[in-house]
Amino acid sequence: MSITYSFYFKGNDGKFYPLDSFGGGSKVAEGMSAQFGRNCAYETRKPLTKSDLKEIISFENDRAQSSENRIEEYRQRQKDIGSWNNSIEDKIRMISDLDETIDEEKCDLSYYKHSVHFFEFLSDILDEAEYSYSDDSNAKVDANDYIYWEVS
């Protein structure tokens, strides 16, 4: 069974309009899972608040920073390999292996950054909603009742 995290905004008419969906293995899904746990009720829409988003953004930024730190550590290790007493073939193999690891880490880093941008986008929507009024009744929009998510 494939898990999908879907995001919606709630219109003035009470209907939900899709924003985006992400697979269960995505960094967005990992961020949501870290915030809300894996025991979420399936197909139950829940509001996503500014404080939720702030915590998720912080979590994803920390993961991105850790990834950047690992890339630097691998690059330093590549430099250090040159001074080791191994054969040239061993050094080339180790440096090449680290190149592959760095490429994988760079890929993860780009996914973390994409995840951060998505959650910042949702946060910006809530910022705008907080200062908006409904077109129909000139009533203030409830930012805590505006962005929803569900697991399916």
Side-chain angles (χ1 to χ4, degrees), residues 66-81:
S66 293
S67 186
E68 288 175 346
N69 292 344
R70 282 190 298 276
I71 290 170
E72 287 308 310
E73 289 171 13
Y74 296 143
R75 286 184 176 148
Q76 184 58 48
R77 192 175 305 157
Q78 284 179 318
K79 291 176 186 175
D80 294 344
I81 288 172

Side-chain angles (χ1 to χ4, degrees), residues 7 31-36 46-60 119-120 122-123 126 143-145 147-149:
F7 298 85
M32 293 295 289
S33 180
Q35 177 68 18
F36 298 105
K46 295 165 270 316
L48 193 58
T49 66
K50 282 286 285 179
S51 63
D52 293 332
L53 289 168
K54 184 178 178 181
E55 289 180 33
I56 295 168
I57 290 167
S58 175
F59 174 77
E60 291 297 298
F119 289 119
E120 286 174 339
L122 294 180
S123 182
L126 290 183
N144 290 321
D145 189 34
I147 300 288
Y148 280 75
W149 66 281

Side-chain angles (χ1 to χ4, degrees), residues 81-94:
I81 288 172
S83 65
W84 294 358
N85 290 328
N86 299 50
S87 69
I88 293 291
E89 293 82 16
D90 285 345
K91 290 178 184 180
I92 291 171
R93 182 187 47 76
M94 287 186 277

